[in-house]
Structure formats: C-alpha cells, structure tokens
Amino acid sequence: MTTNGPAPRPPGRGTASSLRMALHMVNTVLDREVSGRNAFNVSRLADEVGVERSKASRTTQDLCDKGFLERRDDSTLRAGTAFFTTAASLHPGLLGRSRALLRRLAVKHGAGARLSVRDGVQVRLLRAESAAGLGQEWQGWASLVTPCWCTGAGRALLLDHTAEEITALLDDYELIGVGGPHAARSAREVAAANDRDRLRGFVAAHGEFEHGVTEYAIPVRDTAGHIRFAVSVVGRQEDLATREETIRTDLTAAATALAKYVDGDDPPH
C-alpha cells in the first residue's frame, strides 16, 4: 500500500487554545459593542483578554482577514459579517423561510423587517429586508448587534422575563447613555415597559433606540412555548403610527408561520 505522504496530524492543544482565544476575542468585542461604551482597539482588547499585544495583533488580523472582525476607520474593532453568517447557518430552515415573509412585511409597510435572536443582553440580527426605495437616514442604526433593553426586538425577546429576571440580567450593565430619548434607564423601567406591552400582545418601542424611530416586535416561540426569536417592523414613527393595528396583525401571523421552523433546543438565558 502506498501513500502520498504522512497522514494529517490531528489538531493539537496549541490549535485548540488558539481557537478558544480567537472566539474569546470576538465575544469580548461583541460584549463591548452592546455595552454602548467606546469600542476596543487591539491594544485595549489585548489587555481585556489578558494576552500579549503582539499575539492579539496577529489574531485580530487573522479574524479580520476571515471576516469575523472588522476594523473601523478609527482602528477600533467590531464584529464582522462572517461571524453572523456562521451563526445564522445554524437555523437554515427558519432563515430560508423568513426571507420572503420579511420581504412582504417590508414592502407592505414601507419599512424594515427583521428576524433577531437574543444572546444574553445582546440582540443579534439574523436577517433584514427593506422596502425598495426606502430612505436610508433611519437605517444607519441597523447594526448586527444591539442592546436588548432599548429595542423592540430585544424587549420582545424578554417578554416572558419577570422583573427579578430582568434585574439579574442587566445587573452589570450601564443603561444610561445608551439608546434614544425614550430608552429605559433602569431594569425596573424595562420591566414596566414589558408589563405594559405584554397586555397588548406585542412590543411597541417608540424612540427607544433612536429619536423618531419605532420598532414593533412579536416573539417567535418554539413548540414548548419558549421565546426563541423576534420578528419586527422598524421605521419612522410618523410613518408607522397610523398602521399599528395592521402591523400587529401581520407580525402575529408572521410569528405563527415562523414558529413551524423553530427547533426545540433550550432557549437562550
């Protein structure tokens, strides 16, 4: 029996350690982004994760090359599209079915339509569709990662949380200075807003992330009744206010349709 060379060696401890470090660095960048504080540059990221700056520089460059991180013009770092593309691929059925549905919502209401998931205090955007010809001035905040406490999708993803659970979740985060003029400034305000919206059956976030912007959102549940995702419509408050009841009806139908493609894994905490 002949071979074309030695068999590939399995990944060693060094490879696994490097992978863990790279993932740790990406998550640290994400956590910093959602906190609302100034983003890390390479030096500050190295200090935060406890590695030598030369190693941090090499790792972040590799992550940037692969699209898992992006470097802004001011040399600070943010999560890249490859990270979210990879995350989104974990739900291929749901995402595949959501595209046409979100597109119909966007076109009908002349707004943006989104599918989001929660990861701790962060809301990760999985898919977004917008109406053709829609102005872009209010869409600049359509980040891949946003806070859960001052967005419609984020609050919808917390809709089953008690006041005590919301307080525990947000205990280490500074809410003041993040979001728009009507954003919650404390865990108690988040809980109160959700108590109000729970009675109405959907979340209405007016000016919570940005002035003049409204996001209506409804949770998407799995077969056990756990909230797994949120579907939302977002746009200028002046454009959407008169369509609130129609939007609620359409979002409810969308959430019901998408629920058929949600698996039964444990929900995020």
Side-chain angles (χ1 to χ4, degrees):
M1 178 178 178
T2 60
T3 64
N4 293 324
R9 296 178 61 184
R13 292 183 179 178
T15 300
S17 177
S18 297
L19 178 58
R20 284 194 298 270
M21 177 56 64
L23 292 173
H24 182 33
M25 293 173 76
V26 172
N27 280 321
T28 300
V29 169
L30 287 168
D31 289 342
R32 186 71 172 188
E33 185 175 351
V34 78
S35 74
R37 293 173 289 174
N38 292 333
F40 287 130
N41 58 24
V42 174
S43 296
R44 295 198 63 193
L45 178 60
D47 295 341
E48 183 72 14
V49 300
V51 299
E52 296 178 356
R53 293 186 178 183
S54 59
K55 183 175 182 178
S57 179
R58 291 192 300 271
T59 303
T60 54
Q61 184 58 56
D62 191 37
L63 289 167
C64 287
D65 291 343
K66 290 179 170 61
F68 287 91
L69 288 178
E70 293 178 0
R71 201 183 307 271
R72 294 186 174 101
D73 291 340
D74 62 359
S75 296
T76 58
L77 299 162
R78 64 181 176 187
T81 56
F83 180 88
F84 297 98
T85 299
T86 301
S89 69
L90 298 176
H91 306 282
L94 179 70
L95 291 177
R97 296 288 181 172
S98 69
R99 183 175 185 179
L101 186 152
L102 294 175
R103 183 64 177 166
R104 286 195 296 271
L105 283 172
V107 171
K108 180 176 181 178
H109 298 292
R114 300 175 181 174
L115 180 67
S116 305
V117 66
R118 185 175 68 85
D119 179 8
V121 301
Q122 303 172 95
V123 177
R124 305 189 191 280
L125 181 63
L126 295 180
R127 183 180 288 283
E129 298 291 334
S130 62
L134 191 64
Q136 298 296 312
E137 65 272 13
W138 60 267
Q139 295 194 76
W141 69 275
S143 173
L144 294 172
V145 180
T146 50
C148 66
W149 62 84
C150 60
T151 55
R155 291 206 294 105
L157 289 160
L158 294 177
L159 209 54
D160 285 352
H161 279 52
T162 65
E164 292 75 16
E165 289 170 335
I166 290 174
T167 298
L169 177 68
L170 301 178
D171 184 53
D172 294 331
Y173 291 86
E174 179 60 64
L175 276 61
I176 296 175
V178 179
H182 298 144
R185 304 306 180 193
S186 67
R188 183 169 63 179
E189 291 184 11
V190 177
N194 271 11
D195 287 343
R196 177 196 68 221
D197 286 341
R198 193 178 298 112
L199 294 175
R200 304 198 307 169
F202 79 126
V203 170
H206 303 299
E208 293 189 20
F209 195 87
E210 186 172 303
H211 174 72
V213 173
T214 285
E215 184 176 17
Y216 294 109
I218 283 184
V220 179
R221 299 176 183 272
D222 62 19
T223 54
H226 297 128
I227 294 175
R228 297 296 309 280
F229 303 91
V231 61
S232 63
V233 166
V234 57
R236 286 178 289 260
Q237 185 171 342
E238 62 190 52
D239 296 337
L240 298 184
T242 59
R243 307 176 63 86
E244 184 170 294
E245 288 305 313
T246 302
I247 291 172
R248 175 169 63 174
T249 299
D250 290 345
L251 284 175
T252 300
T256 300
L258 291 173
K260 294 182 290 186
Y261 306 101
V262 177
D263 60 43
D265 292 343
D266 291 336
H269 301 288

